[in-house]
Amino acid sequence: MHLQITPLILVAGLAVGCRSANTNAPSIDATTKSSTTPAPKPNEPPAAQPMAPLLVRRATPAPTAPTDVTANSTRADRLAALTKEYDDATTAYWNAFEKALGDNENPSREEMQKIRAQLTEPDPKSFETRARQLLDEDASDVTALRAIQWMFANTSRGEANPELVAMLEKHHLDRPEMGEMCSMLGGLGGDARGLLEKLLARSPHADVRGQACYALAEALKSDIESAEFLKLAEPKELAGMKESMGEAKFAALQSLDVAKTNAAIEAYYERIVNEFGDIKVGAGTKRETTLGKRASAALFEARTLAVGKPAPEIEGVDLDKVAFKLSDYRGKVVLLDFWGNW
Amino acid sequence: MYPHERSLVELYKNEPFAIVGINSDSDLDALAITRKKENITWRSFWNGAEGTSGPISSAWNVHGWPTLYILDAQGIIRYKSVGANEEMIDKTLQGLIAEMKKTPASTTK
C-alpha cells in the first residue's frame, strides 16, 4: 500500500499499534516525532522490517496557542520559536533523506544507515535544554504546560520523564488543556498512567476526566497487544524489546493478567458511557463523535469481536458488485483483512 | 501487504484457507487498476462509497488500516491486530491449518 503513514513505535520489532483515534487532541502524539505539522509526513523512512505501514485516521487540528499570551508573550514567543526551529530542522532533514533515497521505494537497512551517516539529524537534546530553561523559570504557566507537551511529543522517545509528570501534577492538574494531552499520556506509560488516573479522579472538567478515562482504556488495550506479541516473539526479538522498554515494563507485560485487564478495560468504557457519554471529540472534523459513541463501539468490539468469540456475519458485495457472505467461507481458515489502497 | 498475501495464497493453495478483504477505497475504478497490477486474486467486500466511514468497518469498530482478524474453520476469531505483523500472521495460520488437519474439518450448517 502507498500510504501516508503515521509511524509506529518500533520497539525492536514490536509495533505498538497507534490505535487511538479517540480525542480532539492535536496531532501531538508520543508515537510521532513531528509536533506541530498537521499533515502527517512519514518521519520514519519505510522500515526494513516485515511490517506493513499502519494508517491511523485521526483528527489533526492545528496546534492551540497558549491562553495567557499577554502576560507571558516573551515565554510563549520563545517556545514558539524553538518548536518552529525544531520543525524546520526536522523537515529539512527528512527532505534531504527522501532526496537521497531517490527512486528507491524499498531501501535496505544498510542503505538507510548509509544515508543517515551522511546527514545531520537535528538533536532533540539541545531543543529539550531550551524547553527546560522555560520550565526552570516558571513551571506553572500555560507556556510551561505547552513546553512539557511539546517535549513529550518530540523528545521523550516514548518514555514520560517523571520530573515532567510531577510538574504537570503539581501545577496543571486542574487545567482544561490537560484534556488534549490524555491520548498522548496513554501512549507514554509509566508515571503518565498515574497522572491519567489522577486526572480521572480530580480534574474539575468533565471532558478532561472523560478523555483520561478513555486514554486509560486504550492504554490497557495496547498492553494486551504487547503481551500477546511477547508470547509469540523469538528469543532475540524478546531481548531487543526488553532492552527498549526496560526490565520493569517487560516483566509486567510478561505477567499480564489478560482476563483481569480486559475486565478493567470494559469497566472504563462502561464508565464513559454512563458518566462521560456526551463529551464531544474530533469537534469540527469529519470524524466528530462523542466519547459515549466511541466507548459503546469499543465495548461492542471487546465483547463481540474478541479472540475466542464467533465472528459476526458480514453480508455485502464484492469489488465487482457481486453479493456474498463471510459465512460462505465456513470450513476454511480465513484471514480477514480491512485494507485500502489510498 | 500484497506480496505477503500473494505468497500466502500460493503457500496454502491446496489447503482450506482464504483471504477475505474488506476494502475501504471509495474509488473502485482506480482500485481496479491496482487489483490487476498487484494480482489481487482474493475476494473483498466493498465498504461502500463512504470509504473508511463505511458500514462494515464501522460495525467492526475499525479505526486503523490494516486491521486483521484470523478466523478458524468454525468461524471463531483466533487472532486480531491493528497493523500487519507478518510473522505473527504466518505463525497463527500455520497453527490453525495444522489444527484443522488433526481434527477432520466439519462443515457447519
PDB file of all heavy atoms in Angstrom, chain A residues 16-34:
ATOM      1  N   VAL A  16       3.781  -1.189  18.287  1.00  0.00           N
ATOM      2  CA  VAL A  16       2.675  -0.889  19.192  1.00  0.00           C
ATOM      3  C   VAL A  16       1.675  -0.087  18.383  1.00  0.00           C
ATOM      4  O   VAL A  16       1.895   1.056  18.072  1.00  0.00           O
ATOM      5  CB  VAL A  16       3.165  -0.080  20.408  1.00  0.00           C
ATOM      6  CG1 VAL A  16       2.008   0.248  21.327  1.00  0.00           C
ATOM      7  CG2 VAL A  16       4.210  -0.890  21.155  1.00  0.00           C
ATOM      8  N   GLY A  17       0.667  -0.749  17.978  1.00  0.00           N
ATOM      9  CA  GLY A  17      -0.291  -0.131  17.091  1.00  0.00           C
ATOM     10  C   GLY A  17      -0.809   1.181  17.620  1.00  0.00           C
ATOM     11  O   GLY A  17      -1.247   1.290  18.731  1.00  0.00           O
ATOM     12  N   CYS A  18      -0.708   2.189  16.777  1.00  0.00           N
ATOM     13  CA  CYS A  18      -1.134   3.516  17.205  1.00  0.00           C
ATOM     14  C   CYS A  18      -2.620   3.609  16.961  1.00  0.00           C
ATOM     15  O   CYS A  18      -3.050   4.092  15.953  1.00  0.00           O
ATOM     16  CB  CYS A  18      -0.365   4.556  16.412  1.00  0.00           C
ATOM     17  SG  CYS A  18      -0.663   6.231  16.956  1.00  0.00           S
ATOM     18  N   ARG A  19      -3.451   3.153  17.852  1.00  0.00           N
ATOM     19  CA  ARG A  19      -4.855   2.977  17.553  1.00  0.00           C
ATOM     20  C   ARG A  19      -5.757   4.038  18.112  1.00  0.00           C
ATOM     21  O   ARG A  19      -6.946   3.976  17.969  1.00  0.00           O
ATOM     22  CB  ARG A  19      -5.310   1.627  18.072  1.00  0.00           C
ATOM     23  CG  ARG A  19      -5.075   1.487  19.554  1.00  0.00           C
ATOM     24  CD  ARG A  19      -5.172   0.076  19.970  1.00  0.00           C
ATOM     25  NE  ARG A  19      -6.452  -0.432  19.539  1.00  0.00           N
ATOM     26  CZ  ARG A  19      -6.705  -1.720  19.407  1.00  0.00           C
ATOM     27  NH1 ARG A  19      -5.777  -2.591  19.664  1.00  0.00           N
ATOM     28  NH2 ARG A  19      -7.859  -2.131  19.000  1.00  0.00           N
ATOM     29  N   SER A  20      -5.205   5.013  18.757  1.00  0.00           N
ATOM     30  CA  SER A  20      -6.124   5.943  19.404  1.00  0.00           C
ATOM     31  C   SER A  20      -6.570   7.059  18.473  1.00  0.00           C
ATOM     32  O   SER A  20      -5.961   8.092  18.381  1.00  0.00           O
ATOM     33  CB  SER A  20      -5.498   6.520  20.659  1.00  0.00           C
ATOM     34  OG  SER A  20      -4.138   6.825  20.426  1.00  0.00           O
ATOM     35  N   ALA A  21      -7.625   6.818  17.780  1.00  0.00           N
ATOM     36  CA  ALA A  21      -8.250   7.911  17.019  1.00  0.00           C
ATOM     37  C   ALA A  21      -9.344   8.464  17.897  1.00  0.00           C
ATOM     38  O   ALA A  21     -10.513   8.430  17.568  1.00  0.00           O
ATOM     39  CB  ALA A  21      -8.829   7.347  15.730  1.00  0.00           C
ATOM     40  N   ASN A  22      -8.974   8.892  19.059  1.00  0.00           N
ATOM     41  CA  ASN A  22     -10.001   8.989  20.085  1.00  0.00           C
ATOM     42  C   ASN A  22     -10.253  10.362  20.666  1.00  0.00           C
ATOM     43  O   ASN A  22     -11.242  10.591  21.310  1.00  0.00           O
ATOM     44  CB  ASN A  22      -9.676   8.033  21.247  1.00  0.00           C
ATOM     45  CG  ASN A  22      -8.360   8.405  21.894  1.00  0.00           C
ATOM     46  OD1 ASN A  22      -7.619   9.259  21.434  1.00  0.00           O
ATOM     47  ND2 ASN A  22      -8.051   7.759  22.996  1.00  0.00           N
ATOM     48  N   THR A  23      -9.376  11.297  20.464  1.00  0.00           N
ATOM     49  CA  THR A  23      -9.622  12.567  21.154  1.00  0.00           C
ATOM     50  C   THR A  23      -9.484  13.704  20.155  1.00  0.00           C
ATOM     51  O   THR A  23      -9.039  13.529  19.043  1.00  0.00           O
ATOM     52  CB  THR A  23      -8.614  12.821  22.273  1.00  0.00           C
ATOM     53  OG1 THR A  23      -7.339  13.059  21.684  1.00  0.00           O
ATOM     54  CG2 THR A  23      -8.517  11.622  23.192  1.00  0.00           C
ATOM     55  N   ASN A  24      -9.872  14.894  20.605  1.00  0.00           N
ATOM     56  CA  ASN A  24      -9.633  16.063  19.760  1.00  0.00           C
ATOM     57  C   ASN A  24      -8.261  16.640  20.083  1.00  0.00           C
ATOM     58  O   ASN A  24      -8.058  17.839  20.063  1.00  0.00           O
ATOM     59  CB  ASN A  24     -10.738  17.095  19.957  1.00  0.00           C
ATOM     60  CG  ASN A  24     -10.855  17.517  21.409  1.00  0.00           C
ATOM     61  OD1 ASN A  24     -10.270  16.897  22.302  1.00  0.00           O
ATOM     62  ND2 ASN A  24     -11.595  18.561  21.657  1.00  0.00           N
ATOM     63  N   ALA A  25      -7.372  15.768  20.413  1.00  0.00           N
ATOM     64  CA  ALA A  25      -6.008  16.225  20.701  1.00  0.00           C
ATOM     65  C   ALA A  25      -5.357  16.701  19.416  1.00  0.00           C
ATOM     66  O   ALA A  25      -5.666  16.212  18.351  1.00  0.00           O
ATOM     67  CB  ALA A  25      -5.203  15.067  21.284  1.00  0.00           C
ATOM     68  N   PRO A  26      -4.471  17.655  19.530  1.00  0.00           N
ATOM     69  CA  PRO A  26      -3.669  17.990  18.343  1.00  0.00           C
ATOM     70  C   PRO A  26      -2.814  16.796  17.983  1.00  0.00           C
ATOM     71  O   PRO A  26      -2.678  15.890  18.776  1.00  0.00           O
ATOM     72  CB  PRO A  26      -2.805  19.167  18.809  1.00  0.00           C
ATOM     73  CG  PRO A  26      -2.822  19.103  20.278  1.00  0.00           C
ATOM     74  CD  PRO A  26      -4.086  18.417  20.681  1.00  0.00           C
ATOM     75  N   SER A  27      -2.261  16.831  16.801  1.00  0.00           N
ATOM     76  CA  SER A  27      -1.501  15.657  16.358  1.00  0.00           C
ATOM     77  C   SER A  27      -0.183  15.566  17.099  1.00  0.00           C
ATOM     78  O   SER A  27       0.835  15.269  16.525  1.00  0.00           O
ATOM     79  CB  SER A  27      -1.274  15.714  14.860  1.00  0.00           C
ATOM     80  OG  SER A  27      -0.552  16.879  14.531  1.00  0.00           O
ATOM     81  N   ILE A  28      -0.209  15.893  18.366  1.00  0.00           N
ATOM     82  CA  ILE A  28       0.982  15.720  19.187  1.00  0.00           C
ATOM     83  C   ILE A  28       0.795  14.396  19.878  1.00  0.00           C
ATOM     84  O   ILE A  28      -0.079  14.235  20.707  1.00  0.00           O
ATOM     85  CB  ILE A  28       1.114  16.853  20.232  1.00  0.00           C
ATOM     86  CG1 ILE A  28       1.311  18.188  19.510  1.00  0.00           C
ATOM     87  CG2 ILE A  28       2.273  16.572  21.144  1.00  0.00           C
ATOM     88  CD1 ILE A  28       1.305  19.379  20.440  1.00  0.00           C
ATOM     89  N   ASP A  29       1.570  13.464  19.517  1.00  0.00           N
ATOM     90  CA  ASP A  29       1.350  12.110  19.995  1.00  0.00           C
ATOM     91  C   ASP A  29       2.698  11.501  20.270  1.00  0.00           C
ATOM     92  O   ASP A  29       3.655  11.775  19.580  1.00  0.00           O
ATOM     93  CB  ASP A  29       0.597  11.347  18.893  1.00  0.00           C
ATOM     94  CG  ASP A  29       0.345   9.919  19.293  1.00  0.00           C
ATOM     95  OD1 ASP A  29       1.284   9.114  19.239  1.00  0.00           O
ATOM     96  OD2 ASP A  29      -0.777   9.628  19.664  1.00  0.00           O
ATOM     97  N   ALA A  30       2.740  10.677  21.260  1.00  0.00           N
ATOM     98  CA  ALA A  30       4.023  10.122  21.662  1.00  0.00           C
ATOM     99  C   ALA A  30       4.687   9.335  20.552  1.00  0.00           C
ATOM    100  O   ALA A  30       5.887   9.167  20.549  1.00  0.00           O
ATOM    101  CB  ALA A  30       3.840   9.230  22.880  1.00  0.00           C
ATOM    102  N   THR A  31       3.881   8.816  19.637  1.00  0.00           N
ATOM    103  CA  THR A  31       4.497   7.959  18.635  1.00  0.00           C
ATOM    104  C   THR A  31       4.980   8.718  17.419  1.00  0.00           C
ATOM    105  O   THR A  31       5.523   8.140  16.520  1.00  0.00           O
ATOM    106  CB  THR A  31       3.531   6.863  18.168  1.00  0.00           C
ATOM    107  OG1 THR A  31       2.396   7.482  17.570  1.00  0.00           O
ATOM    108  CG2 THR A  31       3.085   6.020  19.330  1.00  0.00           C
ATOM    109  N   THR A  32       4.737  10.001  17.339  1.00  0.00           N
ATOM    110  CA  THR A  32       5.275  10.744  16.191  1.00  0.00           C
ATOM    111  C   THR A  32       6.416  11.624  16.654  1.00  0.00           C
ATOM    112  O   THR A  32       6.488  12.030  17.801  1.00  0.00           O
ATOM    113  CB  THR A  32       4.218  11.640  15.529  1.00  0.00           C
ATOM    114  OG1 THR A  32       3.844  12.654  16.478  1.00  0.00           O
ATOM    115  CG2 THR A  32       2.973  10.851  15.163  1.00  0.00           C
ATOM    116  N   LYS A  33       7.304  11.926  15.767  1.00  0.00           N
ATOM    117  CA  LYS A  33       8.402  12.801  16.142  1.00  0.00           C
ATOM    118  C   LYS A  33       8.080  14.254  15.797  1.00  0.00           C
ATOM    119  O   LYS A  33       8.651  15.177  16.308  1.00  0.00           O
ATOM    120  CB  LYS A  33       9.672  12.387  15.394  1.00  0.00           C
ATOM    121  CG  LYS A  33      10.321  11.167  15.989  1.00  0.00           C
ATOM    122  CD  LYS A  33      11.672  10.948  15.359  1.00  0.00           C
ATOM    123  CE  LYS A  33      12.202   9.588  15.663  1.00  0.00           C
ATOM    124  NZ  LYS A  33      13.328   9.254  14.792  1.00  0.00           N
ATOM    125  N   SER A  34       7.175  14.458  14.850  1.00  0.00           N
ATOM    126  CA  SER A  34       6.870  15.825  14.434  1.00  0.00           C
ATOM    127  C   SER A  34       5.768  16.389  15.299  1.00  0.00           C
ATOM    128  O   SER A  34       4.764  15.741  15.529  1.00  0.00           O
ATOM    129  CB  SER A  34       6.428  15.804  12.977  1.00  0.00           C
ATOM    130  OG  SER A  34       5.785  16.996  12.662  1.00  0.00           O
TER     131      SER A  34
END
